[in-house]
Amino acid sequence: MTEAFIQRSSRSAPASRHYLFLQGNAGPFFRALGNGLADAGARVSRVNFCGGDRLFWGDWNAVDYKGRAADFGGWIADLYDRTAVTDIILYNDCRANHRMAIEAARVRGLGIFIYEEGYLRPNWLTLEREGINGYSRLPDDPDWYRAMAARLPAFDAGTPVGSPISLRAWYDFQWQVVNYFHPLRYPHYRTHRPYPIWAEYATWATRLATIKWRGAQARAVVEQVTGGQRPYFLLPLQLDSDTQIRVHSAFARLPAAVDAIIADFAAHAPADALLVVKIHPLDNGWINYRRLVRKQARHVGVEDRVLFIDGGDLNRLIDHARGTVTINSTVGMTAVQRGCATIALGRAIYDMPGLTFQGPLAEFWQRPERPDPALYEAFRVVVLHACMVNGNFYSEDGVRLAVANSVPRLLGGADLLADAPPRRGRPETRLAVPAACSKAACSNEDQ
């Protein structure tokens, strides 16, 4: 870990605010943020759940949780009370231990701050109070965004810091490896990730071995569909392990969603339309989506109209597509921003009248509606002010910038969503009959 990230704070005096860090992502950001808060005079402490946590945070003001998962709720509530915690900071609010921590924090009226990858990318992180994604307090009332944006100053594009995938992968590798060397220190720790780590790396090795072939095939398909005369719809896949799928959608698993969307396309899309299915660039390959897509397309009689790619220029695909179909991916927000008709089939912060199609998927294929650019700009301005931090979790410059922008928000920045109206909501799926997740679809049997 780069030493610049972990310089110890010289502050030791107690303060009225006590920030307790729970689990972060693999990398130096949480430790750097803890140092920033300590430098500002706050008390800082940390719960380490595993060896990877300890690697990136160390022992500074840290306590190990060594108990069973089922006992964590009572343990963390006792820690809040004994140490006078005023605020908690965590990454991702869907992990089981974090759900228990949030519930205990709400009962006590503690501040709850949640980080995630940015709603807007690149160069931004999400920092939101109370909940993110499907648990977010962001409303779905277009008039509220128009009124709020009119009161806010313009927001520039931020300092470019990118999103260094290679560095992210390296930190993740360190986190995973160190976990294997701490079975006695953390005897009951179980990762929140659904796949065995050895399997993730084995399937990644297979993907990397075929990267040139897959990239060439993808570029050929992009040229074909963007330069052709036939209309096409884009289906950018998310990660099956993503809590956006498993928690914030009606499908529970991504293969079930893919099956259902292809079946709906076969039944309701124009006869000359194509469907381009693009795999997520960080998919580990555990599920063979190429085979799964081909099998389902053949089953419903549209094998010649469904194209699968692993790579290719996403923005170019969006710009030429007749519409984008997503569950609740941030790619959906990119599609809206670029003026592409979009439908969200799960709970998404950008799903509202004027930005996304509000009818069923069966109608979207026939009459996709482009988003209102003025409403999107109002939405973007509010989200940037309320939920975004310029920076990233991984690079030295990105971490430094993110800490500098986070500390004022954590110490008492205005809560723009305090009086926001509640989300009105709607059915979680706009498919007539969501597909069941069959054993074959939701395993790697088709590898």
Side-chain angles (χ1 to χ4, degrees):
M1 194 164 43
T2 305
E3 194 64 30
F5 288 134
I6 57 172
Q7 296 173 354
R8 193 168 193 139
S9 171
S10 60
R11 293 263 190 178
S12 58
S16 59
R17 298 287 288 274
H18 177 190
Y19 294 84
L20 175 67
F21 284 75
L22 300 176
Q23 197 163 44
N25 59 346
F29 175 70
F30 264 20
R31 177 61 192 263
L33 181 60
N35 289 336
L37 286 169
D39 288 340
R43 290 178 62 199
V44 173
S45 60
R46 160 78 178 224
V47 177
N48 285 333
F49 295 87
C50 62
D53 291 349
R54 189 164 178 261
L55 169 70
F56 288 108
W57 182 275
D59 292 324
W60 175 53
N61 294 345
V63 58
D64 291 331
Y65 181 69
K66 301 183 179 183
R68 299 182 184 277
D71 299 327
F72 180 71
W75 184 90
I76 194 67
D78 179 66
L79 183 67
Y80 292 161
D81 296 338
R82 285 190 295 104
T83 61
V85 170
T86 60
D87 304 86
I88 61 172
I89 299 174
L90 53 123
Y91 179 91
N92 188 299
D93 60 352
C94 289
R95 297 175 185 176
N97 53 353
H98 286 170
R99 293 313 306 165
M100 288 185 275
I102 289 170
E103 181 179 352
R106 284 193 176 130
V107 169
R108 289 159 175 76
L110 308 185
I112 301 167
F113 295 95
I114 303 153
Y115 280 92
E116 251 285 5
E117 301 292 345
Y119 292 144
L120 301 170
R121 301 180 191 178
N123 308 323
W124 300 95
L125 307 178
T126 296
L127 169 55
E128 198 167 353
R129 304 186 192 208
E130 301 297 328
I132 58 172
N133 295 316
Y135 294 133
S136 173
R137 295 177 299 155
L138 285 166
D140 54 359
D141 181 351
D143 292 336
W144 182 85
Y145 284 98
R146 293 186 181 102
M148 179 61 75
R151 295 158 42 194
L152 295 171
F155 217 115
D156 63 26
T159 301
V161 292
S163 181
I165 291 179
S166 59
L167 194 54
R168 175 178 178 176
W170 170 236
Y171 287 143
D172 183 76
F173 176 76
Q174 293 179 72
W175 190 82
Q176 301 291 359
V177 169
V178 170
N179 283 343
Y180 279 102
F181 292 97
H182 286 77
L184 298 179
R185 190 180 184 106
Y186 305 97
H188 301 293
Y189 174 72
R190 299 294 182 271
T191 179
H192 59 279
R193 292 157 77 153
Y195 306 120
I197 299 307
W198 63 265
E200 288 206 43
Y201 285 117
T203 51
W204 260 114
T206 301
R207 289 200 70 204
L208 291 173
T210 60
I211 190 170
K212 289 186 177 180
W213 173 82
R214 291 182 289 103
Q217 185 265 347
R219 289 190 294 272
V221 171
V222 172
E223 289 295 330
Q224 171 192 341
V225 298
T226 59
Q229 300 300 314
R230 298 179 68 175
Y232 69 88
F233 293 87
L234 176 64
L235 172 56
L237 300 186
Q238 296 169 239
L239 297 176
D240 178 59
S241 59
D242 194 346
T243 54
Q244 284 278 77
I245 299 295
R246 296 190 173 222
V247 177
H248 298 310
S249 85
F251 298 103
R253 298 291 304 277
L254 184 61
V258 172
D259 277 358
I261 292 166
I262 293 174
D264 201 275
F265 172 81
H268 302 292
D272 62 337
L274 303 173
L275 179 64
V276 179
V277 183
K278 184 181 187 300
I279 197 170
H280 193 286
L282 295 180
D283 189 273
N284 61 24
W286 179 252
I287 298 172
N288 190 330
Y289 284 109
R290 185 182 299 274
R291 185 169 298 177
L292 186 149
V293 166
R294 184 169 61 244
K295 181 178 179 181
Q296 174 66 351
R298 184 168 57 245
H299 175 68
V300 295
V302 289
E303 186 176 16
D304 60 335
R305 295 169 52 203
V306 177
L307 307 173
F308 179 89
I309 59 172
D310 188 353
D313 187 333
L314 176 63
N315 288 339
R316 185 177 177 188
L317 283 168
I318 290 172
D319 290 343
H320 290 80
R322 189 173 183 191
T324 295
V325 180
T326 184
I327 311 302
N328 42 27
S329 171
T330 53
V331 174
M333 190 136 57
T334 300
V336 170
Q337 183 261 327
R338 300 182 77 88
C340 181
T342 302
I343 186 171
L345 303 179
R347 294 192 293 278
I349 62 165
Y350 53 85
D351 186 20
M352 69 185 74
L355 292 187
T356 56
F357 189 82
Q358 297 296 293
L361 181 58
E363 294 180 9
F364 179 75
W365 306 117
Q366 297 293 331
R367 51 177 190 87
E369 300 169 358
R370 291 187 176 276
D372 176 354
L375 175 58
Y376 173 77
E377 181 58 24
F379 171 79
R380 186 189 73 88
V381 167
V382 172
V383 170
L384 282 169
H385 278 280
C387 309
M388 294 285 100
V389 171
N390 191 196
N392 68 37
F393 291 124
Y394 309 105
S395 70
E396 188 164 345
D397 289 342
V399 168
R400 187 179 296 111
L401 182 63
V403 169
N405 289 324
S406 291
V407 168
R409 294 263 298 274
L410 295 168
L411 291 176
D415 182 4
L416 296 185
L417 304 181
D419 299 318
R423 292 189 72 88
R424 292 168 293 187
R426 54 160 184 77
E428 289 187 13
T429 179
R430 289 169 179 172
L431 286 159
V433 182
C437 193
S438 68
K439 182 180 178 181
C442 294
S443 72
N444 65 336
E445 288 183 357
D446 288 336
Q447 293 284 341

